[in-house]
Amino acid sequence: LTSLGVPLPLPLNALEYFDLHSAKTKNLLDLRDARRSYSPANQLEPESLAWSADGATVYANLQPNAAIVTISASSATAARITPLGLKDWSANGGTEGLDTVKDGFCILERKPGFSTLRSASSIESFEVDGVDYLMAAGEADDKSYGEVDEGKKFRNLILTPFAFHPNFREFVEPPPAAGKLGVLERAFKQFAARSRSLRLTVGSSAVDYTSPRKPLFKKAVGFGPRSVSIYRAADLALVWDSGSALEKEGCAAFPWAHNAEQTEEYTAVGSVAFKRASPSERIDIRAKNKLGQPVFVDGDACPDRGDGKPGPCPMGRTVDKRSYKDGPAIEALDVGVACGRMIAVAVVKRSSVAFVWDVSAPTAPVLLFTRHLSPASRTKSPPVAYADGSIGDIGVESVSLLDARSSPTGAAAVIFAGAQSGTLSLYEFLLPDNSRCVSSPSPRPAPVPPIPGAGIAILAGNSKTHEASFCLWPGDEAVTSAIGRAQWKPETSAIAAQCCTDGQPAPGSCRRMAKSNGGASTSVTDCIGGQESTFKAMTYGDAALKCAGLGLVLCDQSCAGEGCAYNLHPVYTRLPCPLARVPSPSLPAPRLASWMPAGRAKSTHQGACKVEGGIYVAGRYQEEWALGEPECRLMCDGLTACTAYEHSVHEAGKGSREYWRCVLVKAVVTGVVPLAKHVCFVKVGRP
């Protein structure tokens, strides 16, 4: 993993160092069991998930490893693990710097040679113009093995420009380049005077443990990117990062909340939170309620908690408390459509500052505004603000965007959950003219066009003429495939939708791929009826409405060779049928099989078909997509080896289109396994 650039918080050789070679810990720790049972897998810690728009891929965010795993949903296997890398805080890093000094001011400084892990607490997926993106919310995280902690304060790691702290006397640094500062000297120059509490990692991103007797301290690496980032999902390439905006814009709007905090420790002794706290947490809570000398040192109370009494400090008296830790860390993030735009909302957990971006252009998001979710916290501690009802949302760990249709107020909104404040708050979005983003009345659905009395011709997708392969007639409005009407391979028998510009036939008028405005496209994501695994079976009426929605019409010409693999399918046209309709009474009555539910009870057919060995046993089934249940039944009827069929309906994701799956079973069915939107019927013979 480290050879791929994936950070390991504490590699195996790091455990050997602390267990056997560290003068500080070797006689205090026994990590033999931890080393014997060690595997890279237990160093990977999934924190959050996101789905691709088509439901085929899952992305798992590994927070301590600053990496994302890409997983195939169908095979449940990891395709790759991608490191998110380090954020560079030098002049070459594209930021305005960061604040690591606890001085009560928001002063950003660039730090040559210093970087931080791009750890993310949560990720959200969204789609723009057919391209999937992931947005990641930055939050620091480190890992521990008992007393061995990946994170160390600067003052406990580096003693002088040329020496490590005695606790790490075995560490060595690489020889400096000619005329350049060494690693220690450069770090000491940056942080020794005013940022001695800055937390640094001793994980693999900073230390090479190839020689556990003499670990090589390669560079100073901190925790947390202090930003939100957008990645292109296909290759997880970074396309945008907010840089220093969280600290810069947050401080500009709310200087009293700059890198401030209100954590679980800021509660009253004797409160419900205190009673539920662990012994060590109670010590911290007591410290926050007791004045010390001087007043403003970590763990001490303020003389006025907001009601004239000493106690936990209000947020406005904690400015810069997080500067030397991880700054504006975000845990709550959501991305979705509101007011006709793709909107992202993120909240700094400990300072309650919310940021709202328009990410409709994922490579160039626009910060729309910031809001503080608990203004009363400027002068009131949580116990005081909670008691008088003025508290807002503190410790926000979850946020959810609501479009106008799903909002309880009928207008686009966002809801925040404050973990520490125990609150839920809903805010509506307002347009520049202060109007609400309400949903328009749902238009009446367009009537489904019936098949004309003259019928419609169905062409072979690869035909360069108007010769009909077969026709559909009034009464065939539910038909979606060639099965039973023409000889066709079952896997490509579904009729494909293709559209044309009006005034056809003309060069360039065919559209098998079309943009939302009906313009020509070359992207397979724009295939009118989907492609291969995303193919959607359509009726004649569906196809006609699809074309009309794009400002197009069904074709009255050949569109062979226009893409989407529709050359393999029959295709819809608006051409009248040139064939004579054979009267139905003269058709021989089909000798179709009889069918019965697969379960023991007569009506038990809801679920997946089960055979000896389970469901979907290799070699005992055949899978087809884009077939309705009638077509699935017909296909099984025509295959001697098919003993039963299973039909199911799937959605790729929330609000996405449906996909039909047909499973042709080729073994004795022993029962059903209950699964939603699945049916199983067994063939029992022909009349």
Side-chain angles (χ1 to χ4, degrees):
L1 289 172
T2 54
S3 66
L4 297 174
V6 177
L8 293 180
L10 291 170
L12 178 57
N13 278 7
L15 296 188
E16 180 183 333
Y17 162 73
F18 286 108
D19 196 20
L20 302 179
H21 309 300
S22 166
K24 168 69 176 177
T25 61
K26 66 181 181 181
N27 295 321
L28 301 175
L29 302 174
D30 184 353
L31 299 177
R32 286 175 295 179
D33 287 343
R35 289 192 289 125
R36 275 194 294 267
S37 61
Y38 184 95
S39 75
N42 59 35
Q43 291 277 302
L44 304 179
E45 187 177 307
E47 182 72 14
S48 58
L49 300 174
W51 287 81
S52 61
D54 62 5
T57 306
V58 182
Y59 303 97
N61 166 47
L62 308 177
Q63 186 174 2
N65 310 96
I68 291 177
V69 181
T70 302
I71 302 165
S72 167
S74 61
S75 63
T77 55
R80 67 175 185 271
I81 179 169
T82 306
L84 303 181
L86 302 177
K87 185 163 181 175
D88 180 5
W89 292 102
S90 72
N92 297 324
T95 76
E96 297 178 58
L98 74 168
D99 186 356
T100 62
V101 180
K102 184 185 172 187
D103 57 5
F105 301 97
C106 42
I107 300 174
L108 306 184
E109 298 177 311
R110 294 188 176 96
K111 302 291 183 180
F114 180 63
S115 55
T116 53
L117 287 159
R118 287 190 177 274
S119 304
S121 60
S122 60
I123 56 174
E124 292 290 334
S125 61
F126 64 103
E127 182 183 17
V128 174
D129 293 335
V131 179
D132 283 348
Y133 295 92
L134 294 178
M135 192 167 192
E139 184 185 43
D141 191 24
D142 57 6
K143 196 174 181 72
S144 300
Y145 272 91
E147 297 300 317
V148 178
D149 194 338
E150 175 197 0
K152 303 295 177 184
K153 289 184 177 180
F154 177 92
R155 64 173 180 261
N156 295 331
L157 180 61
I158 299 175
L159 187 64
T160 75
F162 308 102
F164 291 95
H165 189 280
N167 290 351
F168 294 91
R169 68 188 69 172
E170 299 82 12
F171 275 28
V172 296
E173 64 174 323
K180 301 290 185 180
L181 297 178
V183 172
L184 290 189
E185 191 174 3
R186 183 164 53 185
F188 198 86
K189 181 179 179 181
Q190 295 288 349
F191 304 115
R194 298 187 298 163
S195 303
R196 293 180 62 80
S197 293
L198 178 72
R199 286 180 65 79
L200 302 176
T201 177
V202 292
S204 68
S205 58
V207 183
D208 182 352
Y209 289 96
T210 300
S211 173
R213 293 178 181 274
K214 291 185 176 181
L216 180 67
F217 187 77
K218 301 177 292 184
K219 53 190 172 185
V221 178
F223 293 96
R226 305 184 180 216
S227 62
V228 292
S229 308
I230 297 179
Y231 300 87
R232 187 173 55 236
D235 56 3
L236 287 173
L238 178 67
V239 300
W240 176 79
D241 183 88
S242 63
S244 302
L246 297 185
E247 289 186 277
K248 179 181 177 181
E249 301 298 337
C251 184
F254 310 104
W256 55 271
H258 169 66
N259 287 348
E261 68 176 16
Q262 296 282 263
T263 65
E264 296 83 353
E265 300 165 1
Y266 290 78
T267 189
V269 174
S271 66
V272 173
F274 176 83
K275 293 175 181 177
R276 293 181 176 179
S278 67
S280 62
E281 290 169 338
R282 290 187 180 187
I283 293 173
D284 293 333
I285 293 171
R286 286 193 175 96
K288 290 288 190 292
N289 283 269
K290 182 179 180 181
L291 287 173
Q293 296 294 330
V295 173
F296 301 113
V297 297
D298 285 351
D300 284 354
C302 282
D304 184 358
R305 64 181 188 175
D307 60 359
K309 300 177 182 179
C313 292
M315 186 180 294
R317 303 295 294 272
T318 67
V319 172
D320 266 339
K321 279 269 192 176
R322 307 299 304 182
S323 289
Y324 60 84
K325 297 177 182 177
D326 57 355
I330 290 176
E331 189 164 330
L333 171 72
D334 198 15
V335 184
V337 176
C339 306
R341 308 295 294 172
M342 187 66 73
I343 299 295
V345 180
V347 185
V348 179
K349 179 178 178 179
R350 293 172 180 85
S351 66
S352 298
V353 179
F355 295 82
V356 180
W357 288 271
D358 182 343
V359 295
S360 301
T363 60
V366 176
L367 179 64
L368 299 178
F369 57 87
T370 59
R371 287 289 184 274
H372 201 282
L373 301 182
S374 186
S377 296
R378 180 174 185 173
T379 58
K380 299 176 184 179
S381 65
V384 174
Y386 188 86
D388 67 16
S390 62
I391 198 168
D393 299 305
I394 297 176
V396 175
E397 296 183 0
S398 181
V399 58
S400 183
L401 278 163
L402 305 173
D403 62 23
R405 296 181 187 277
S406 56
S407 170
T409 67
V414 58
I415 189 167
F416 300 99
Q420 184 189 349
S421 54
T423 55
L424 291 174
S425 298
L426 185 141
Y427 293 77
E428 287 187 350
F429 290 103
L430 296 179
L431 295 170
D433 62 359
N434 285 326
S435 62
R436 302 161 74 219
C437 297
V438 296
S439 59
S440 302
S442 299
R444 289 186 177 183
V448 178
I451 296 175
I456 54 109
I458 305 297
L459 308 185
N462 61 354
S463 173
K464 296 183 179 179
T465 70
H466 293 172
E467 182 180 353
S469 293
F470 62 96
C471 295
L472 296 182
W473 301 93
D476 290 335
E477 278 77 10
V479 173
T480 61
S481 82
I483 293 178
R485 292 169 178 81
Q487 293 295 320
W488 225 282
K489 289 184 178 180
E491 61 269 22
T492 56
S493 62
I495 309 172
Q498 57 182 25
C499 309
C500 286
T501 59
D502 213 354
Q504 56 174 316
S509 62
C510 283
R511 300 282 190 275
R512 287 183 175 177
M513 293 174 277
K515 298 178 181 177
S516 58
N517 62 0
S521 171
T522 57
S523 172
V524 293
T525 60
D526 292 329
C527 287
I528 288 171
Q531 184 202 33
E532 296 177 352
S533 63
T534 64
F535 187 91
K536 182 176 181 179
M538 293 186 185
T539 65
Y540 167 79
D542 292 336
L545 288 177
K546 179 71 174 181
C547 293
L550 297 170
L552 303 170
V553 296
L554 285 171
C555 298
D556 54 15
Q557 67 181 79
S558 166
C559 289
E562 291 294 322
C564 298
Y566 292 174
N567 272 19
L568 303 175
H569 289 259
V571 294
Y572 285 109
T573 73
R574 64 174 184 176
L575 292 167
C577 180
L579 308 175
R581 185 174 188 179
V582 180
S584 297
S586 66
L587 292 174
R591 299 183 68 246
L592 301 178
S594 299
W595 304 87
M596 66 175 291
R600 292 181 179 178
K602 287 187 177 181
S603 61
T604 307
H605 61 277
Q606 301 290 338
C609 296
K610 181 182 179 183
V611 300
E612 185 178 353
I615 59 175
Y616 314 134
V617 177
R620 299 186 180 184
Y621 74 98
Q622 175 182 329
E623 183 180 65
E624 305 292 343
W625 287 86
L627 295 181
E629 187 180 352
E631 288 84 358
C632 184
R633 179 176 290 196
L634 279 171
M635 184 177 288
C636 183
D637 183 74
L639 294 176
T640 304
C642 184
T643 61
Y645 76 88
E646 172 190 311
H647 191 266
S648 53
V649 180
H650 303 264
E651 284 189 7
K654 184 172 64 177
S656 64
R657 60 191 176 194
E658 291 183 342
Y659 299 96
W660 297 341
R661 181 186 187 218
C662 172
V663 174
L664 306 175
V665 183
K666 300 179 179 180
V668 175
V669 173
T670 59
V672 295
V673 175
L675 286 177
K677 297 185 178 181
H678 287 63
V679 296
C680 177
F681 284 93
V682 176
K683 186 192 298 184
V684 294
R686 296 179 180 274

